[in-house]
Amino acid sequence: MPEKSNTAIEDLLRLPEVAEIVKDHNPALVARQQDQPPICAVFDQPYTVLEADGRYRFEIDRETRRRLPGIIGGRVQVVRGRDALAPGQRENYARRRNIGIVFSGGPAPGGHNVIAGLYDAAKRANPDSRVYGFLMGPDGIIENQSVELTAEIVDAHRNLGGFGMIKTGRTKIDTPEKMQLSRETCKLLGLDALVIVGGDDSNTNAAFLAQEMLEDGVQVIGVPKTIDGDVQVKDADGRVLCAVSFGFHSAARGFAQNVSNLCTDCNSDMKYWHICKVMGRSASHLALEVALQTHANMTLIGEDLADYVDTERLEKARRRGDVDFNAYGMTLRHLSRVVCDGIVRRAAVGKNCGVLVIPEGVLEFINEIQVFIVKLNTIIGEYNHTHDRDFHADHPLLENKLEYLRRLARRSREQGAIAIWNERDDDLFNDLPEFFQDGLLTERDSHGNFQFSQVKTERVIMGLVRDYLDILWEEGRYKMGIESSYYRQVMQKGGLDADAYAPVLFRNPGAHYLLMKADIISEKTLGQVLADAGMQDGEEEVPAAVLKIYKKSVPKFKTQVHFYGYDGRGSHPTRFDCKYTYNLGLTVFSLIANGVTGQMAAIRNLELDFERWEPVGIPIAPLMHLEERKGKLALVLEKSLVDIHSNAFQVVKAFREQWLAAEPGPDHYRSPAPIHLSGATEEDRPLTLFLNALGQGDT
Ligand code: FBP
């Protein structure tokens, strides 16, 4: 193409078509912003009231009762619609309010709709009410950095992913100073209510803020957010109040779309094992949903590995007359064996490829790693407490940290006392690859959580897998299966008698996929086997056709590693999350307008059809329990892990063999549709939720 003059370029840039293409917003995005999510029937009415539902029972921790006396008595509140309210009630419902809202923790698709729902409900009740968005997460509250939200700001973010409107952060309001500063901010802004949109730790924080701000008359409401899907609420009798946090469905679908594309790639060039780590700090909910969405060949579920019992080992111990505690839960080595088994079996039917899904937090469920995490948390927590300094600041390099651990181990030997870190710990730790040691010693997040996203989990597992595959190869147990028709064709072209050679070369000469004998593991051993069978003499070169078949039987294990996390949590919300979050926003306002505090807004029956959704408030304090954080016990909201007895897990387990597809014939991949707001093909809830609801009532 000839070079364009400056004038020609200017003319090009002036074209309306070009202007349209370079706009920041495309038509699909504009349609998304303009979409109005459906609302639960109760919100069709101008007012709402709360009705306590006494059916729910919680086992309350004594420490919670002591620390949160002002909010521990909260009950589950069901939001009901009303056409009219009694005069005093009506004025109170519609009085002018100032409400602050903050995002806390990692982004989750749908957060903007929580704000939109709250904003719309607050303005509908009283157009003079104000909604403030705190900037950059809880730091915005501590440092009084906020923006008053306008219709223009809110409209620009409706149904859009991310937390871009006001940003987010992971700071925890966990000291008397930060609490005091937060109270001052609320006073300065004249806030009636503060809304914390966050995960388990942020909702814990919301409960403490609610307690603290009782005397200031500031209500605090939490909203269950996290892509990890581990904020789920059941009462002591197992009744579900909140089936999943928002953002889970969208992130899982985002990941599933990518994983599914890799299944397509794998199915096309049959060359790679795609190793896909998917986010989820502890629980494997996201991996489980991805398994259901894609039917990837292998999906590890942490909770399942923790539940493993090595019966053979137990039996051996029983015969010896003792108990082998290492038989409970899977070891890292055993896990690598399980993965290898899948790889070897697929290779045997000519599939030198596959898709493996690894949940980010899987190592937490591996016994020996969990022990290291708890020990290191305690050591670091104790160091910070005793020295009133930060362990990581004082030991910036891995070598410094290892030296500190070495000193602890030496001290334990010298003192001969039982210590948290002894020489055996030190030896085992030093056996780990350096990058993994570094990962295990990374700084905990502000809530004291181990940061699994910073650890190369997949490298740890795949390193062991590679080592074991090498062993299996040398033992002759890892071979590529050769399709018999291909074998015959090659032999025929080479002028050799396929039938005569087959029993010499293969351990299963009549099979569809032929497996070379275990002792053929090099060209030399191949020649030897042929000579032993009298097919040629020892000095003779192996015929080219046989050599070709041998080479084909040598598996080349090639991997591509992918991490799905930040991409999925930045995706636009699914229709499910758009509806869910907008209605959560409306619920938040109902809780505020009806005067409760220390409650989490939620939607009951989320696992059922939209018509059955019921907005509720859940008291946060009764859900809390003591847990180890940064080496100390802290009151927190319990994370929900994958229930291995749930329908969803049982279905995945039942289909494991089919999806591994270690048999001749096609794989069973499922392609989830891309996320879209409208259209009959968009699924209306996560598959895990759908399955778990089966048998519990009609869906
Ligand atoms: P939240 O629980 O705060 O929503 O965050 C979840 C998560 O996305 C995890 O899946 C992941 O392990 C972690 O955040 C990553 O944290 P960071 O954003 O600090 O890298």
Side-chain angles (χ1 to χ4, degrees):
M1 210 179 244
E3 200 180 324
K4 281 192 167 50
S5 69
N6 285 347
T7 336
I9 293 172
E10 278 164 23
D11 287 346
L12 172 73
L13 297 181
R14 268 196 290 273
L15 289 175
E17 293 89 335
V18 174
E20 192 56 38
I21 281 172
V22 298
K23 269 186 188 165
D24 285 349
H25 286 39
N26 65 42
L29 190 102
V30 175
R32 200 171 238 287
Q33 287 167 314
Q34 290 170 354
D35 191 84
Q36 172 60 49
I39 57 175
C40 297
V42 291
F43 297 124
D44 277 333
Q45 287 162 283
Y47 304 103
T48 55
V49 293
L50 301 181
E51 234 175 61
D53 188 336
R55 283 178 307 158
Y56 295 94
R57 207 173 54 79
F58 301 98
E59 273 156 18
I60 296 174
D61 187 283
R62 207 168 343 133
E63 183 65 3
T64 321
R65 205 181 284 285
R66 191 180 70 75
R67 304 263 313 271
L68 300 170
I71 57 166
I72 195 67
R75 314 260 302 273
V76 171
Q77 304 286 342
V78 181
V79 179
R80 302 274 182 227
R82 291 285 181 270
D83 278 334
L85 292 177
Q89 244 183 329
R90 191 176 56 227
E91 278 71 54
N92 187 42
Y93 190 92
R95 84 181 147 82
R96 184 189 166 288
R97 288 186 166 82
N98 288 341
I99 301 170
I101 186 162
V102 68
F103 290 138
S104 177
H112 289 139
N113 271 19
V114 176
I115 297 186
L118 170 64
Y119 180 88
D120 290 352
K123 292 285 182 185
R124 182 162 87 142
N126 186 330
D128 292 331
S129 283
R130 292 177 171 186
V131 180
Y132 295 94
F134 287 107
L135 300 172
M136 307 300 295
D139 275 339
I141 310 178
I142 298 166
E143 294 167 8
N144 192 10
Q145 294 289 311
S146 66
V147 58
E148 184 184 341
L149 300 177
T150 60
E152 198 185 347
I153 297 175
V154 174
D155 289 349
H157 292 87
R158 285 178 194 270
N159 302 311
L160 300 195
F163 282 177
M165 188 200 296
I166 53 174
K167 324 294 180 200
T168 185
R170 287 201 183 273
T171 300
K172 190 177 174 186
I173 305 178
D174 57 354
T175 62
E177 296 75 38
K178 288 189 212 166
M179 195 62 90
Q180 188 49 35
L181 288 168
S182 305
R183 286 174 74 173
E184 278 164 26
T185 300
C186 292
K187 271 189 206 140
L188 281 170
L189 289 175
L191 289 196
D192 297 279
L194 175 62
V195 183
I196 314 251
V197 183
D200 50 338
D201 291 319
S202 310
N203 275 282
T204 298
N205 222 197
F208 280 100
L209 284 167
Q211 173 67 43
E212 200 72 24
M213 295 193 185
L214 265 183
E215 63 187 74
D216 304 340
V218 179
Q219 296 163 253
V220 182
I221 304 294
V223 181
K225 168 237 70 161
T226 173
I227 60 160
D228 293 358
D230 56 9
V231 179
Q232 299 178 2
V233 183
K234 284 185 184 156
D235 79 345
D237 300 314
R239 277 185 240 256
V240 180
L241 274 159
C242 169
V244 77
S245 47
F246 81 76
F248 167 77
H249 186 227
S250 316
R253 286 278 302 281
F255 300 158
Q257 178 71 59
N258 290 327
V259 171
S260 164
N261 292 348
L262 294 175
C263 294
T264 307
D265 180 80
C266 169
N267 194 25
S268 309
D269 71 0
M270 310 280 292
K271 189 164 76 180
Y272 293 118
W273 266 92
H274 288 285
I275 314 299
C276 310
K277 179 169 83 165
V278 301
M279 256 191 189
R281 188 188 283 115
S282 286
S284 304
H285 297 293
L286 283 164
L288 188 67
E289 180 73 20
V290 168
L292 286 163
Q293 294 278 356
T294 64
H295 304 179
N297 302 107
M298 277 193 262
T299 301
L300 308 179
I301 300 296
E303 292 81 342
D304 175 40
L305 304 181
D307 190 58
Y308 176 79
V309 179
D310 191 333
T311 44
E312 251 177 56
R313 232 177 139 148
L314 273 186
E315 183 52 28
K316 262 193 208 159
R318 197 189 58 77
R319 284 201 295 269
R320 280 197 314 267
D322 60 18
V323 180
D324 184 344
F325 291 104
N326 288 329
Y328 297 97
M330 206 174 263
T331 62
L332 208 44
R333 196 169 296 272
H334 188 153
L335 171 60
S336 67
R337 307 297 192 253
V338 171
V339 173
C340 285
D341 182 63
I343 295 169
V344 168
R345 288 179 55 211
R346 277 178 66 83
V349 290
K351 297 176 182 174
N352 191 23
C353 58
V355 177
L356 166 66
V357 177
I358 301 181
E360 176 186 52
V362 74
L363 294 182
E364 191 172 323
F365 296 92
I366 303 290
N367 246 332
E368 71 253 44
I369 306 299
Q370 178 61 18
V371 171
F372 275 138
I373 291 173
V374 172
K375 285 191 175 208
L376 294 172
N377 279 357
T378 310
I379 290 168
I380 295 169
E382 271 176 18
Y383 181 95
N384 294 349
H385 184 69
T386 322
H387 299 80
D388 197 19
R389 295 172 63 93
D390 179 50
F391 176 83
H392 296 284
D394 288 354
H395 304 84
L397 304 176
L398 175 64
E399 191 37 43
N400 308 137
K401 296 182 211 246
L402 292 177
E403 178 49 36
Y404 181 79
L405 292 176
R406 240 171 269 142
R407 278 208 301 275
L408 283 187
R410 269 201 305 272
R411 207 179 305 153
S412 98
R413 190 193 48 203
E414 284 157 16
Q415 295 174 351
I418 297 173
I420 185 154
W421 195 259
N422 56 36
E423 290 204 305
R424 185 176 147 70
D425 292 317
D426 213 49
D427 286 348
L428 286 176
F429 198 72
N430 281 315
D431 273 351
L432 299 176
E434 198 177 294
F435 74 87
F436 190 31
Q437 292 176 333
D438 206 18
L440 287 169
L441 281 162
T442 50
E443 208 162 335
R444 278 44 183 164
D445 77 3
S446 54
H447 299 277
N449 293 308
F450 184 76
Q451 301 200 62
F452 275 104
S453 57
Q454 309 298 318
V455 180
K456 300 259 177 288
T457 311
E458 67 290 356
R459 266 181 74 187
V460 177
I461 298 173
M462 295 318 289
L464 287 169
V465 165
R466 273 181 195 285
D467 290 349
Y468 192 54
L469 285 178
D470 285 347
I471 294 174
L472 291 175
W473 164 249
E474 275 163 25
E475 290 176 358
R477 291 197 277 159
Y478 177 31
K479 309 264 186 199
M480 285 304 296
I482 315 278
E483 208 185 0
S484 57
S485 60
Y486 174 81
Y487 163 70
R488 288 184 174 281
Q489 194 189 14
V490 172
M491 296 297 271
Q492 196 185 1
K493 258 198 193 160
L496 299 174
D497 180 352
D499 289 326
Y501 274 87
V504 177
L505 294 175
F506 305 116
R507 57 179 109 136
N508 56 346
H512 183 173
Y513 277 88
L514 303 165
L515 286 170
M516 280 237 156
K517 285 189 172 162
D519 47 355
I520 305 178
I521 53 167
S522 63
E523 292 181 28
K524 198 168 153 205
T525 50
L526 173 62
Q528 193 59 52
V529 165
L530 292 177
D532 290 351
M535 306 297 285
Q536 60 180 61
D537 73 43
E539 302 307 305
E540 225 177 308
E541 273 194 13
V542 172
V546 177
L547 202 57
K548 187 170 178 179
I549 293 298
Y550 163 71
K551 284 190 177 156
K552 191 112 179 134
S553 79
V554 180
K556 289 163 205 72
F557 181 63
K558 291 201 273 181
T559 57
Q560 293 292 343
V561 176
H562 314 265
F563 176 30
Y564 297 120
Y566 300 100
D567 50 347
R569 77 181 193 185
S571 87
H572 288 313
T574 55
R575 188 161 66 194
F576 170 83
D577 271 329
C578 285
K579 288 191 289 194
Y580 180 15
T581 46
Y582 188 75
N583 282 284
L584 276 176
L586 300 177
T587 308
V588 168
F589 181 75
S590 289
L591 296 175
I592 295 172
N594 284 286
V596 295
T597 189
Q599 295 254 330
M600 185 199 286
I603 307 283
R604 194 164 65 178
N605 294 342
L606 209 49
E607 60 280 21
L608 304 182
D609 283 340
F610 177 70
E611 288 64 41
R612 310 266 305 269
W613 287 16
E614 274 187 322
V616 293
I618 307 172
I620 304 173
L623 310 177
M624 291 167 60
H625 78 151
L626 285 169
E627 210 173 83
E628 183 269 339
R629 288 296 167 90
K630 293 189 178 171
K632 285 192 246 153
L633 284 178
L635 269 185
V636 290
L637 228 117
E638 194 171 6
K639 276 192 206 318
S640 294
L641 301 180
V642 169
D643 176 359
I644 54 164
H645 304 293
S646 65
N647 291 349
F649 177 73
Q650 289 301 322
V651 168
V652 168
K653 191 173 170 188
F655 278 85
R656 243 178 211 163
E657 192 53 25
Q658 182 167 325
W659 297 344
L660 177 64
E663 63 199 1
D667 284 307
H668 299 278
Y669 299 137
R670 172 186 189 270
S671 171
I675 293 171
H676 49 281
L677 256 191
S678 52
T681 54
E682 174 62 355
E683 72 190 15
D684 65 352
R685 70 199 94 164
L687 300 180
T688 31
L689 246 62
F690 180 82
L691 287 172
N692 288 342
L694 292 178
Q696 314 277 320
D698 42 349
T699 50

